[in-house]
């Protein structure tokens, strides 16, 4: 039964891997196109924001849908919406009518669909994979993201020269078909509907996830940690490409992103075979702290090599923290509310990121860069340590972001409620595993 469950997960994982790689191709190609066409970091950051904000706003509704509908159907529909947004860009390119606002619309649709797809995917993992193997499964999910970071930039650069931007986007659309096909032909267990359950108003049902988290202060603290960490990393997401493009070209950018993705792949591979530390709370705090150090390193020298090394360290360590955190949530949250809890968790965790996306461009262009050029306010002080020039403002910002992230980890480790979360809050999926043991014939019938 356990092997069959993991086999089903592997099939779903493969389809989602294809989709993630395809999205990475389009994201990289369009990102370079926008920055080269406009030269504006602020406009680039607004497009990044459009890929997050709609999903944040849709999360409460998405969580309700995930818990009330079959999660398989939710994933299929979400992939269809994302595929449509990709097809829309393809048609506009063919007709030579693509404009910046079209990219805003497409990324917004993709963000909206991910608000439904991700909670459905994450909550399904807890149904398919035994509790002791959750870290391994979540490590594989991290590995899929890292494979996209490695393959997408290199493949996009190669394919752009052969089949053009239209061809790259068409490849992305084909990967959505692969993801949908794997979901159509795979059957996996769904939760039984609770009998005699009173039907509550929609708003109350949708906010049940927030009530669940509020009653568990340790989970709320964990959630706020990631909200702040994602705010800091929001600056990195927007500014890494401009930072490298100020001292290198598109080829250097593609190599840097692929190498840093290789770090994430390495971490994901290790997590897919290692069950992790026994204390998963300490694991996510420790590896978050180490990731912060890598981020600060990337800002010290105006060199593509140093930036790449620092980001490689950061990205190779992130999967260990993310896999531990995801496993904690899957173990501590009841399966029948995981959709709403995970959707709200995603909403809160990303709630501050749009502020980073909005402010990253102006902060870099209007504040940090002027201070770190020749004759700038900090050129004669900090400039002596990290150098001066157009890239040094963003470099200084990266150093500060890393320091703030490290301080956050120390503060959380010193908080006893967070540090002892695993001991104080009992697991909520014991009964589900026991149900699988007692009703294995029903579970097998729902799997390939």
């Amino acid at each position: 039964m356990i092997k069959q469950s993991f086999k089903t997960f592997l099939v779903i994982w493969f389809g989602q891997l294809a989709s993630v790689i395809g999205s990475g191709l389009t994201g990289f190609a369009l990102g370079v196109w926008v920055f080269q066409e406009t030269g504006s970091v602020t406009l680039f950051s607004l497009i990044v924001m459009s890929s997050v904000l709609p999903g944040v706003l849709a999360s409460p509704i998405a969580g309700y849908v995930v818990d009330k509908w079959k999660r398989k159907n939710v994933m299929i529909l979400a992939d269809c919406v994302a595929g449509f947004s990709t097809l829309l860009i393809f048609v506009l390119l063919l007709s030579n009518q693509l404009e910046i606002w079209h990219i805003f619309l497409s990324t917004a649709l993709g963000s909206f669909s991910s608000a439904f797809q991700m909670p459905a995917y994450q909550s399904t993992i807890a149904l398919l994979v035994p509790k002791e193997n959750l870290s391994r499964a979540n490590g594989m999910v991290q590995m899929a993201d890292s494979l996209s970071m490695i393959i997408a930039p290199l493949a996009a650069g190669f394919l752009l020269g052969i089949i053009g931007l239209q061809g790259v986007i068409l490849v992305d659309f084909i990967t959505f078909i692969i993801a949908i096909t794997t979901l159509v032909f795979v059957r996996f267990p769904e939760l039984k509907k609770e009998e005699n359950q009173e039907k509550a108003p929609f708003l109350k049902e949708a906010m049940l996830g927030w009530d669940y988290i509020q009653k568990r202060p340790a989970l709320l603290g964990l959630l706020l940690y990631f909200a702040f960490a994602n705010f800091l990393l929001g600056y990195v997401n927007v500014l890494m490409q401009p930072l490298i493009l100020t001292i290198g070209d598109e080829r250097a950018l593609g190599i840097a992103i692929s190498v840093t993705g290789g770090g994430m792949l390495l971490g994901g591979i290790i997590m897919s075979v290692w069950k992790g530390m026994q204390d998963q709370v300490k694991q996510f705090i420790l590896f978050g702290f180490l990731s912060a150090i890598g981020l600060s390193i990337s800002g010290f020298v105006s060199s593509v090599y140093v930036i790449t090394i620092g980001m490689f360290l950061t990205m190779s360590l992130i999967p260990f923290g993310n896999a531990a955190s995801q496993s904690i949530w899957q173990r501590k949250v009841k399966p029948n509310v995981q959709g709403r809890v995970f959707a709200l968790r995603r909403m809160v965790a990303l709630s501050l990121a749009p502020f980073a996306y909005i402010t990253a461009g102006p902060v870099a262009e209007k504040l940090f860069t002027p201070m770190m050029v020749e004759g700038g306010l900090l050129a004669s002080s900090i400039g002596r340590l990290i150098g001066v020039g157009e890239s040094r403002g963003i470099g200084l910002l990266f150093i500060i972001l890393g320091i703030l992230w490290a301080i956050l980890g120390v503060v959380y480790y010193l908080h006893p409620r967070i540090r002892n979360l695993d001991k104080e809050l009992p697991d909520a999926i014991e009964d589900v595993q026991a149900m699988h043991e007692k009703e294995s014939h029903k579970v097998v019938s729902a799997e390939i």
Side-chain angles (χ1 to χ4, degrees):
M1 182 269 296
I2 292 178
K3 289 184 178 179
Q4 290 174 327
S5 294
F6 210 88
K7 181 181 177 182
T8 305
F9 164 73
L10 288 175
V11 174
I12 299 171
W13 175 84
F14 174 79
Q16 297 304 308
L17 169 64
S19 176
V20 168
I21 291 176
S23 298
L25 289 173
T26 298
F28 180 85
L30 288 177
V32 172
W33 180 80
V34 168
F35 188 73
Q36 289 180 333
E37 287 289 316
T38 66
S40 171
V41 176
T42 299
L43 183 58
F44 179 80
S45 67
L46 290 176
I47 291 177
V48 175
M49 186 188 71
S50 73
S51 69
V52 175
L53 186 58
V56 171
L57 297 177
S59 289
I61 299 174
Y64 173 84
V65 171
V66 168
D67 280 337
K68 296 301 180 181
W69 290 13
K70 289 186 176 181
R71 290 168 182 175
K72 170 182 174 178
N73 294 342
V74 173
M75 292 178 68
I76 291 174
L77 184 58
D79 279 335
C80 286
V81 172
F84 171 77
S85 69
T86 300
L87 186 61
L88 179 64
I89 294 294
F90 177 73
V91 172
L92 290 169
L93 272 171
L94 282 182
S95 59
N96 294 319
Q97 295 180 339
L98 182 64
E99 298 180 12
I100 297 297
W101 73 268
H102 293 139
I103 298 176
F104 275 101
L105 177 61
S106 176
T107 53
L109 281 174
S111 174
F112 179 81
S113 68
S114 69
F116 294 81
Q117 198 266 356
M118 287 306 297
Y121 186 25
Q122 292 171 343
S123 57
T124 295
I125 293 174
L127 295 176
L128 288 171
V129 180
K131 183 171 66 172
E132 62 272 16
N133 287 327
L134 283 175
S135 289
R136 292 179 57 198
N138 291 316
M140 291 185 66
V141 174
Q142 295 290 310
M143 186 169 62
D145 291 335
S146 62
L147 281 171
S148 175
M149 291 183 64
I150 296 172
I151 297 173
L154 294 177
F158 176 74
L159 292 174
L160 280 171
I162 299 176
I163 58 178
L165 184 57
Q166 297 97 324
V168 170
I169 294 177
L170 183 59
V171 170
D172 183 16
F173 181 72
I174 293 173
T175 63
F176 278 114
I177 296 177
I178 294 173
I180 293 169
T181 302
T182 58
L183 291 171
V184 168
F185 288 100
V186 168
R187 295 192 299 169
F188 48 84
E190 296 284 350
L191 290 172
K192 288 183 177 181
K193 292 184 178 180
E194 296 183 14
E195 298 180 0
N196 301 324
Q197 185 179 19
E198 294 184 8
K199 192 172 183 179
F202 167 76
L203 184 60
K204 185 176 180 180
E205 285 272 10
M207 294 306 296
L208 180 62
W210 179 245
D211 293 336
Y212 191 95
I213 294 172
Q214 271 192 319
K215 293 176 181 177
R216 294 158 179 81
L219 289 181
L220 180 60
L222 195 64
L223 185 60
L224 296 178
Y225 171 95
F226 280 98
F228 188 69
N230 284 330
F231 171 73
L232 300 177
L233 290 174
Y235 280 87
V236 180
N237 291 336
V238 173
L239 298 175
M240 182 178 173
Q241 289 192 30
L243 173 61
I244 294 177
L245 288 174
T246 56
I247 57 178
D249 55 16
E250 298 88 349
R251 182 173 176 272
L253 174 62
I255 293 173
I257 293 179
S258 295
V259 171
T260 56
M264 192 171 183
L265 174 61
L266 177 62
I269 290 174
I270 295 175
M271 275 308 310
S272 68
V273 297
W274 178 48
K275 292 184 178 181
M277 296 170 58
Q278 187 173 3
D279 191 329
Q280 292 183 320
V281 175
K282 291 181 180 179
Q283 179 178 322
F284 96 78
I285 291 178
L286 171 63
F287 283 96
F289 180 85
L290 297 175
S291 297
I293 295 176
L295 177 56
S296 288
I297 290 174
S298 68
F300 266 99
V301 181
S302 182
S303 164
V304 174
Y305 298 107
V306 174
I307 295 170
T308 302
I309 290 172
M311 293 307 300
F312 176 87
L313 291 173
T314 298
M315 300 307 293
S316 66
L317 296 168
I318 281 179
F320 295 91
N322 285 352
S325 171
Q326 184 62 42
S327 298
I328 291 171
W329 286 91
Q330 288 166 335
R331 287 190 294 107
K332 303 300 182 181
V333 178
K334 293 181 179 179
N336 64 330
V337 296
Q338 281 192 5
R340 279 163 287 188
V341 170
F342 288 179
L344 197 66
R345 168 195 167 204
R346 184 174 184 272
M347 182 184 74
V348 176
L350 295 177
S351 61
L352 297 179
F355 293 101
Y357 299 150
I358 293 174
T359 59
V363 166
E365 293 176 333
K366 305 297 183 182
L367 180 61
F368 278 84
T369 296
M371 288 194 299
M372 294 302 297
V373 296
E374 290 285 352
L377 181 64
L378 300 178
S380 60
S381 53
I382 297 178
R384 292 184 177 180
L385 178 63
I386 66 173
V388 296
E390 187 179 357
S391 69
R392 293 299 74 213
I394 298 178
L396 175 60
L397 184 56
F398 275 31
I399 295 172
I400 294 173
L401 294 172
I403 292 173
L404 291 175
W405 191 6
I407 292 174
L408 178 67
V410 172
V411 170
Y412 263 72
Y413 183 75
L414 295 176
H415 195 293
R417 179 60 63 85
I418 300 295
R419 191 170 62 247
N420 298 319
L421 181 153
D422 223 2
K423 298 177 182 178
E424 295 182 1
L425 191 61
D427 289 350
I429 63 171
E430 290 286 357
D431 292 339
V432 175
Q433 296 298 330
M435 178 189 71
H436 287 341
E437 297 290 341
K438 293 178 183 179
E439 303 180 8
S440 59
H441 64 285
K442 294 182 180 179
V443 176
V444 170
S445 68
E447 300 167 351
I448 59 173

